[in-house]
Amino acid sequence: QSALTQPPSASGSPGQSVTISCIGTSSDIGGYNFVSWYQQHPGKVPKVMIYEVSQRPSGVPDRFFGSKSGNTASLTVSGLQAEDEADYYCSSYADNNNLVFGGGTKVTVL
Amino acid sequence: QLQLQESGPGLVKPSETLSLTCTVSGVSISSSNYYWGWIRQPPGKGLEWIGSIFYSGNNYSKPSHPSLKSRVTISVDTSKNQFSLRLNSVTAADTAVFYCAGVRRFADYVSSWGQGTLVTVSS
């Protein structure tokens, strides 16, 4: 099972939007609606921001939006804030209670 | 509230076996709502799924790298509300922060993470 493909970096100015792509295959993203996104600040534990493609856990701002088309999932962060600067990882269910992660995208708020 | 805590040696010699235990609290490890996983993160790198186990013992260890799959064993001890990871024949490339995780079943996302433990492979 290969890792999902994410761009290594993305950036935007405060108030702008940034979209991160996550490319998989029909065996993971394309086969299941179980895509999740995690935010990780330096030295911290990852935190789930989106699950089941577009669901936000309680407490996650609605500035975070997830979507999926075919084998590609996306995370859009609108109204960028300084606190959004972090690494973001996508994940998908693969099979047999296994997940696969993307390589991570570093989001910089300019 | 589900909480997880990793424990185990922080230093392992090359060619030896890395052993970590995750203690689950706040939820029974026998809950049908979760399966239990291990994830690692080498210094400065991304997250890597190692494998998972359900309380019944079904082991679906399927790491991303084939070389990892043959070296991984995951087990569960329901009497102690714990699950464990063994990774044998370690090399310096196995140096990482290891996280144990509670994966929400039927939604398949990590809802709870342990704090992570750094394991260094060095002589």
Side-chain angles (χ1 to χ4, degrees), chain A residues 10-14 16 80 85 107-110:
Chain A
S11 62
S13 300
Q16 290 187 331
L80 269 174
E85 185 162 296
V107 170
T108 302
V109 181
L110 301 171

Side-chain angles (χ1 to χ4, degrees), chain B residues 8-32:
Chain B
L11 180 64
V12 180
K13 290 182 168 56
S15 80
E16 295 190 344
T17 296
L18 178 160
S19 295
L20 295 174
T21 295
C22 182
T23 300
V24 177
S25 60
V27 168
S28 169
I29 202 168
S30 300
S31 169
S32 60

Side-chain angles (χ1 to χ4, degrees), chain A residues 6-78:
Chain A
Q6 296 181 235
S9 63
S11 62
S13 300
Q16 290 187 331
S17 295
V18 65
T19 296
I20 305 167
S21 62
C22 174
I23 304 171
T25 69
S26 58
S27 297
D28 37 65
I29 292 177
Y32 308 95
N33 286 323
F34 297 133
V35 177
S36 50
W37 290 89
Y38 304 88
Q39 177 191 67
Q40 186 180 34
H41 288 108
K44 301 297 187 182
V45 176
K47 171 189 174 185
V48 62
M49 305 302 283
I50 296 287
Y51 66 97
E52 288 185 283
V53 177
S54 60
Q55 301 301 304
R56 281 185 305 275
S58 174
V60 173
D62 60 7
R63 303 184 293 103
F64 290 84
F65 176 78
S67 62
K68 188 190 94 164
S69 177
N71 297 338
T72 300
S74 298
L75 174 70
T76 297
V77 185
S78 59

Side-chain angles (χ1 to χ4, degrees), chain B:
Chain B
Q1 180 181 352
L2 174 59
Q3 293 184 309
L4 304 99
Q5 177 70 59
E6 305 89 352
S7 59
L11 180 64
V12 180
K13 290 182 168 56
S15 80
E16 295 190 344
T17 296
L18 178 160
S19 295
L20 295 174
T21 295
C22 182
T23 300
V24 177
S25 60
V27 168
S28 169
I29 202 168
S30 300
S31 169
S32 60
N33 292 325
Y34 294 91
Y35 55 96
W36 310 100
W38 289 97
I39 297 160
R40 70 177 182 176
Q41 185 171 34
K45 297 188 177 181
L47 301 170
E48 180 181 21
W49 178 257
I50 297 174
S52 69
I53 194 165
F54 195 49
Y55 77 91
S56 62
N58 291 334
N59 188 333
Y60 299 106
S61 175
K62 188 183 176 183
S64 299
H65 298 287
S67 62
L68 187 59
K69 180 178 182 179
S70 64
R71 299 189 290 127
V72 168
T73 301
I74 299 175
S75 59
V76 64
D77 187 337
T78 55
S79 68
K80 294 182 179 179
N81 229 42
Q82 294 176 335
F83 63 104
S84 299
L85 169 72
R86 287 173 59 87
L87 177 63
N88 58 36
S89 304
V90 296
T91 69
D94 293 311
T95 294
V97 173
F98 285 78
Y99 295 99
C100 61
V103 184
R104 192 72 184 182
R105 204 163 164 235
F106 306 121
D108 300 293
Y109 68 98
V110 179
S111 62
S112 296
W113 299 72
Q115 66 181 29
T117 186
L118 174 63
V119 179
T120 302
V121 178
S122 175
S123 55

